[in-house]
Amino acid sequence: MAKSRKSRRGATAASVAETVDGGLAELIPDPDRARAWTLLLDGAPQSHVDLDDPAFLSFEYQRRLGHVIDLVAPPGRPVQAVHLGGGALTLARYVAATRPRSTQQVVERDAPLVELVRRELPLDRNARIRVRSTDAREGLAKVPDGWADLVVADVFSGARTPAHLTSTEFLDEVRRALAPGGWYAANLADGPPLTHLRGQIATAAARFAELALVADPTVLRGRRFGNAVLVAADEPLPIPELTRRAASDPHPGRVEHGRALRDFTGGATPVTDASAVDSPAPPASAFT
């Protein structure tokens, strides 16, 4: 049951809280933006949405994924995108706003969360967004061969990425769904000693010819827990432009690629279904 609810036309907004499959979901109004909300799951920030300006991305990692979306095709050209993990549908809304007439599939396992988001943060009626409430890998398996220009993985369960979404076998499914020239982008979270992140880079390198990693330099140096965005493709990535965008972000990021990224892996080996484990849990201080 909702603990509180705002009137969408009211001058003031109250938070909305509901129990979903993933725990307690809270929609907290943004005091600085009239129709913007932050989604929390069990107190952990998951998404931010501005209904008046869906091209506005508040979270650092979502802006970096936004850079990827901007560069995957010429500006404004429609794309076919698959989002594994939905949250408040922030990135699907971003694609719809910046690339009108795009066709998108969102796979979000938490059906009550999808219902909450659709009710309280309704999608634009013109957005071509289909949401499936199923496991991310199962949903990906239903995407036709070669359908997607972009696959974005941003899946967390209890603030951890499930093991079965970290393996070479999972990336085989990603590759199957991608069109020639398509890109894969993943939101990864790790902290010192960065074992998970290094393993994910090695795993992607076993399946894709070109990689780039975008993250805060302090995360890359293993000084704190944080997010990193991994981009993978079979054709050269626009590294100079990605680097420029990451560097000019309000929270500047660094782009690693080529030899430097290979060296960063430190000899890590690819993860398989047999060896996969969930990503590490963030420390309590990560959300304070």
Side-chain angles (χ1 to χ4, degrees), residues 68 71-73 77 79-81 146-152 174-185 207-211 231-238:
V68 174
L71 296 173
V72 72
R77 194 185 82 183
V79 297
Q80 297 187 156
W147 184 85
D149 299 302
L150 175 66
V151 173
V152 177
V174 171
R175 286 187 59 89
R176 180 199 58 75
L178 282 173
W183 293 10
Y184 169 67
R207 292 296 184 267
F208 291 93
E210 301 288 335
L211 303 179
V231 189
D234 281 331
E235 298 179 358
L237 295 165

Side-chain angles (χ1 to χ4, degrees), residues 69-79 95 97-102 241 245:
I69 292 166
D70 291 344
L71 296 173
V72 72
R77 194 185 82 183
V79 297
V95 172
T98 60
R99 297 183 176 279
R101 301 182 308 283
S102 292
E241 181 60 18
R245 289 171 182 249

Side-chain angles (χ1 to χ4, degrees), residues 153-179:
D154 184 16
V155 184
F156 288 86
S157 176
R160 304 176 72 178
T161 301
H164 69 296
L165 305 179
T166 68
S167 66
T168 52
E169 290 91 341
F170 165 67
L171 289 186
D172 287 338
E173 273 298 301
V174 171
R175 286 187 59 89
R176 180 199 58 75
L178 282 173

Side-chain angles (χ1 to χ4, degrees), residues 1-163:
M1 295 291 294
K3 293 181 179 177
S4 57
R5 181 156 307 156
K6 73 179 275 281
S7 168
R8 292 191 186 99
R9 284 176 275 189
T12 60
S15 63
V16 178
E18 239 172 81
T19 300
V20 297
D21 289 347
L24 179 65
E26 298 174 271
L27 290 172
I28 309 297
D30 184 335
D32 298 320
R33 304 178 76 90
R35 297 181 68 229
W37 299 80
T38 297
L39 169 66
L40 308 180
L41 280 177
D42 283 342
Q46 296 290 326
S47 305
H48 180 279
V49 168
D50 188 332
L51 295 178
D52 289 333
D53 183 9
F56 173 78
L57 299 176
S58 176
F59 287 7
E60 178 182 299
Y61 85 87
Q62 289 184 330
R63 286 196 301 274
R64 289 172 182 157
L65 287 168
H67 299 329
V68 174
I69 292 166
D70 291 344
L71 296 173
V72 72
R77 194 185 82 183
V79 297
Q80 297 187 156
V82 175
H83 303 266
L84 304 178
L89 308 177
T90 303
L91 292 172
R93 298 173 200 263
Y94 181 84
V95 172
T98 60
R99 297 183 176 279
R101 301 182 308 283
S102 292
T103 304
Q104 302 182 76
Q105 297 186 37
V106 178
V107 184
E108 170 55 63
R109 183 171 187 167
D110 196 329
L113 176 61
V114 172
E115 181 181 349
L116 170 66
V117 168
R118 280 186 175 277
R119 184 182 71 237
E120 299 295 332
L121 308 176
L123 288 166
D124 186 322
R125 293 180 180 179
N126 296 319
R128 301 177 181 179
I129 300 172
R130 177 184 180 185
V131 183
R132 289 176 171 168
S133 296
T134 187
D135 173 78
R137 193 153 156 181
E138 292 177 4
L140 180 62
K142 296 178 181 178
V143 176
D145 293 0
W147 184 85
D149 299 302
L150 175 66
V151 173
V152 177
D154 184 16
V155 184
F156 288 86
S157 176
R160 304 176 72 178
T161 301

